[in-house]
Amino acid sequence: MKYLAALCCFAVSGAAWADTRIAYTVEGSCPTFADSIEISGSRMRIDMRLDGMAMSSLFDGEEDTVTSLMHEQKQFHQTEVDEDAADYTADVMGSTMIYVDKQMDAAMAQMKKQCEQMKAQSRGRNVVSACDNMPDMRSMMESAMGPADQAKPEMRETGRQDAVAGGTCRWTEVWRGEHKLREQCDADIVSLPLPDGDRGSFARGVRVLMSYGDAMRPVVDRFGMADKDPIPVPPKGKITLAGACFDASGERVGRFAADIAVGPLDPQRFQVPADYSSMLQPEPQ
């Protein structure tokens, strides 16, 4: 793997390898993109909650794999990752969405044609059939994802900066129309007070994970997921160190801040628990 060459360069240059943990403390109601992030050499673990479900992502920079852990189900799914393949994945997803749209249009056209034939065969009689309430499959799929007619979130720079957890971050506000949803203070990962090795691994791990997240953008845009309240994911190359959330009246309803600690972590934290099974493994009969 090409990452091994980078590891050798770190070793030759005497880069320090230690373990780092970034944990978020939340007051009130204000979601963070992760509960905690742990880095140990070329490995990284991100603990998070998705719709209330506890999950973790393990990134192995030596093996170039990302493993998702679903803790409630005690299952895992592992994927080989390649930074260079993310653009290809995005192209595939974009083409897939175009194909899905064409297939839906063709199916709707066929249903409409069949309905017209049924009406012609009825010879003017008032025939009540499913055709009278034929559903629009495209609208059904989009409505399942929630309303997509609201204003898109807008990021606004404030020019303010703060010192948080030993790093310097800059404040950005997230607005939807006249409503400020949240504000967050983002810092460049390369500027964080981390051991050199951990800082490099952290930057690469986040870059790979976010590249694959971007590869799903055609699906997100197609079904209006981006029009929902924004998922608080930091911009590329950055980490959110602090933030606050606001309700429709502008009242602050919560806030959060990160704490960075350097010290040894249990190696088992970066491995799949022994009692977890693969999501792709067939269940016993």
Side-chain angles (χ1 to χ4, degrees), residues 101-135:
D101 282 344
K102 289 183 176 180
Q103 290 297 103
M104 282 196 297
D105 289 342
M108 289 297 296
Q110 181 64 24
M111 290 173 62
K112 184 177 181 180
K113 180 179 178 181
Q114 291 175 349
C115 286
E116 293 297 331
Q117 292 174 345
M118 290 174 60
K119 290 179 180 179
Q121 292 171 0
S122 68
R123 298 176 181 175
R125 293 193 301 272
N126 186 17
V127 178
V128 178
S129 70
C131 294
D132 297 309
N133 297 303
M134 184 174 65

Side-chain angles (χ1 to χ4, degrees), residues 50-62:
L50 184 62
D51 293 331
M53 183 174 65
M55 298 179 58
S56 299
S57 289
L58 309 179
F59 174 68
D60 189 324
E62 292 188 20

Side-chain angles (χ1 to χ4, degrees), residues 133-232:
N133 297 303
M134 184 174 65
D136 183 335
M137 291 187 293
R138 186 191 297 271
S139 298
M140 290 176 61
M141 292 181 67
E142 291 176 350
S143 63
M145 305 310 302
D149 56 352
Q150 54 186 333
K152 292 183 180 295
E154 175 190 357
M155 306 292 288
R156 301 180 185 177
E157 300 290 340
T158 67
R160 295 184 291 118
Q161 67 178 38
D162 268 322
V164 180
T168 300
C169 57
R170 293 175 174 77
W171 286 95
T172 302
E173 296 176 342
V174 183
W175 288 75
R176 186 192 299 281
E178 298 302 317
H179 174 208
K180 182 167 74 170
L181 301 174
R182 61 186 291 118
E183 56 186 21
Q184 57 191 52
C185 200
D186 300 319
D188 293 325
I189 292 176
V190 295
S191 71
L192 293 178
L194 308 181
D196 291 342
D198 284 355
R199 189 188 304 114
S201 296
F202 184 26
R204 180 175 185 264
V206 169
R207 186 171 66 250
V208 171
L209 292 175
M210 292 190 71
S211 293
Y212 273 82
D214 288 344
M216 297 300 294
R217 179 58 54 183
V219 180
V220 172
D221 292 340
R222 174 61 188 80
F223 294 112
M225 299 179 196
D227 296 325
K228 295 172 177 284
D229 287 344
I231 299 174

